[in-house]
Amino acid sequence: SKDSTPFITFVLGGPGSGKGTQCAKIVDTYGFKHLSAGDLLRREIARNSEYGSTILDTIKEGRIVPSEVTVRLIRREMELSDNHKFLIDGFPRSEENRISFERIIGAEPNIVLFFDCPEEEMVKRVLNRNQGRVDDNIDTIKKRLKVFEALNLPVVNHYAKKGKLHKIWAVGAEDEIFEQVRPAFAGCEQ
Ligand code: UP5
Ligand code: MG
């Protein structure tokens, strides 16, 4: 219920590493509320909100939306949810994102998953996706990969040092990858 302390999982990995795909399986198996930061930002674009056009420009360039905007969207979804188990997908993308979340939400993640995928595989998957995302073109993908390497890997290293990181080899069949995800949630079976 709303009274219990949130149980937070961060899901990290480069563009096309399979975060969204594996999150769907985690939701089905372990009953988390899925919050994709990218989906929340795309929803702001679609509803033409105050920050919509800035978010669109940022996503087209593969850059990171200011932390305060993203954290506010995540916080609102957490407050609105009856669930207390959250799967936060594609966030935090930088140390600044991470520090901002910890300050504003006042909590750290219990678990951090990292989907480790070779760049050429990520490029192939994103170019094959065909769902009309404005950032699924080769120019933007190259920028997303650079930003990921420069800004997201420090976050991964931070949680590795804290002993919270579950690194998963993200190549192979979806179900095989999920078998590597399961041990992170040992004890979370519903
Ligand atoms: N696929 C999945 N698993 C597969 C497998 N095992 N084998 C073969 N194919 C597989 O998967 C991608 C594609 O690969 C799909 O077609 C899938 O079927 C297939 P998906 O599960 O969608 O991968 P995911 O990691 O979720 O890829 P996504 O493109 O969503 O990752 P990004 O991190 O790039 O996108 P996100 O939506 O998180 O962010 C988009 C942009 O929003 C960012 O670049 C940034 O500009 C902005 N943003 C922020 O600024 N701040 C935030 O906090 C979040 C986002
Ligand atoms: Mg995704």
Side-chain angles (χ1 to χ4, degrees):
S1 79
K2 295 244 77 163
D3 308 324
S4 31
T5 332
F7 185 96
I8 298 169
T9 298
F10 284 159
V11 181
L12 307 179
S17 60
K19 300 183 293 297
T21 303
Q22 293 297 321
C23 280
K25 294 177 183 292
I26 297 165
V27 166
D28 287 347
T29 311
Y30 301 106
F32 278 76
K33 168 76 178 170
H34 180 205
L35 298 179
S36 158
D39 285 350
L40 294 176
L41 293 168
R42 285 183 286 272
R43 194 175 71 187
E44 292 305 293
I45 298 171
R47 64 158 69 134
N48 251 305
S49 80
E50 182 184 357
Y51 301 108
S53 67
T54 318
I55 295 171
L56 176 59
D57 291 342
T58 308
I59 287 181
K60 276 184 184 161
E61 285 303 311
R63 300 206 325 270
I64 298 173
V65 171
S67 298
E68 55 183 286
V69 173
T70 315
V71 174
R72 200 182 298 155
L73 293 171
I74 293 170
R75 184 178 65 182
R76 191 172 64 194
E77 293 301 312
M78 290 177 73
E79 286 170 356
L80 287 172
S81 178
D82 291 331
N83 205 330
H84 76 288
K85 289 158 72 183
F86 298 101
L87 198 54
I88 302 184
D89 165 2
F91 179 95
R93 301 180 97 86
S94 65
E95 282 286 272
E96 201 232 316
N97 270 180
R98 175 182 73 72
I99 291 160
S100 170
F101 180 93
E102 289 177 0
R103 190 184 62 239
I104 294 170
I105 308 290
E108 286 193 23
N110 302 75
I111 297 173
V112 181
L113 304 180
F114 170 47
F115 291 100
D116 188 18
C117 194
E119 286 202 357
E120 60 271 24
E121 176 71 15
M122 294 194 277
V123 172
K124 194 177 80 187
R125 288 183 192 176
V126 171
L127 288 177
N128 281 332
R129 176 161 46 194
N130 259 326
Q131 285 178 358
R133 268 176 55 169
V134 295
D135 54 347
D136 283 355
N137 58 79
I138 190 63
D139 286 347
T140 309
I141 294 167
K142 283 180 183 162
K143 292 174 184 167
R144 287 156 74 189
L145 287 169
K146 273 192 188 145
V147 168
F148 169 71
E149 176 128 332
L151 300 180
N152 207 314
L153 291 183
V155 179
V156 167
N157 292 335
H158 171 86
Y159 288 121
K161 277 189 211 123
K162 292 202 124 193
K164 292 186 173 182
L165 195 79
H166 296 260
K167 185 171 168 173
I168 291 147
W169 181 242
V171 181
E174 289 173 14
D175 287 340
E176 286 168 12
I177 296 166
F178 188 61
E179 290 309 315
Q180 294 181 67
V181 169
R182 284 182 190 276
F185 296 102
C188 295
E189 284 84 5
Q190 318 197 74

